[in-house]
Amino acid sequence: MVASRYIYNKVVELSDKLIRQPILAKFLEMYSKDSKAYKFVVGHARTAVKIHTGVRRDNVVWTHVSSLGELAVVRPVIKELRSKYGKHVVLTFFSPSGYEASVPYLGTSYADADEIYYMPIDTWKNACRFIDMIKP
């Protein structure tokens, strides 16, 4: 168990470092700007920059969904958190599909979230940084 966790952490850390390399985005851009791989790499790399421009950082609830289907299930909860309890809702996705389908609706009754981001790559450092930035 300990060895598998160590290997997982090292593979994820290496992937995170690779994703942050501008050369990877350039390579994928040459292939196709519309590819999921390009959108994944660029989207994850820009998440921290976008978070710093967020509007407020009090009374925050962080909700993560993997897909648009999960968003449909969580939307009533997000609506209640915002309308009844005055919470500032940060919504994260891991995949480009859910993220891109939701961002055009940011602040509308469809997304019901105040901010929408990509979920950070699964490392301890990224998780701490993300939590420090959004302050849920």
Side-chain angles (χ1 to χ4, degrees):
M1 177 100 162
V2 174
S4 62
R5 184 180 308 154
Y6 175 80
I7 292 169
Y8 171 81
N9 286 338
K10 290 301 174 190
V11 168
V12 170
E13 286 174 16
L14 180 62
S15 300
D16 185 45
K17 287 178 183 173
L18 182 63
I19 284 171
R20 293 178 187 279
Q21 298 303 313
I23 191 81
L24 179 61
K26 288 290 183 195
F27 173 76
L28 291 171
E29 182 179 23
M30 288 186 310
Y31 174 68
S32 171
K33 273 190 165 181
D34 293 328
S35 74
K36 280 190 173 185
Y38 175 78
K39 292 173 183 176
F40 179 86
V41 167
V42 172
H44 280 273
R46 292 180 182 160
T47 292
V49 174
K50 288 181 181 180
I51 292 172
H52 285 295
T53 62
V55 285
R56 72 177 211 206
R57 290 286 174 255
D58 60 320
N59 213 14
V60 174
V61 173
W62 171 21
T63 305
H64 175 75
V65 294
S66 298
S67 65
L68 285 175
E70 286 184 11
L71 176 60
V73 172
V74 170
R75 279 184 62 219
V77 175
I78 293 173
K79 277 185 177 181
E80 284 289 308
L81 287 169
R82 289 186 75 216
S83 65
K84 201 170 188 178
Y85 300 103
K87 298 291 185 180
H88 181 87
V89 178
V90 174
L91 177 66
T92 56
F93 286 93
F94 192 76
S95 73
S97 310
Y99 176 82
E100 287 188 345
S102 297
V103 167
Y105 299 102
L106 185 59
T108 69
S109 61
Y110 179 78
D112 295 312
D114 296 293
E115 299 177 65
I116 301 174
Y117 302 111
Y118 277 100
M119 174 80 168
I121 301 297
D122 187 22
T123 67
W124 179 258
K125 184 178 177 181
N126 286 347
C128 290
R129 186 177 336 144
F130 187 76
I131 290 168
D132 284 345
M133 284 190 235
I134 67 166
K135 301 187 183 346

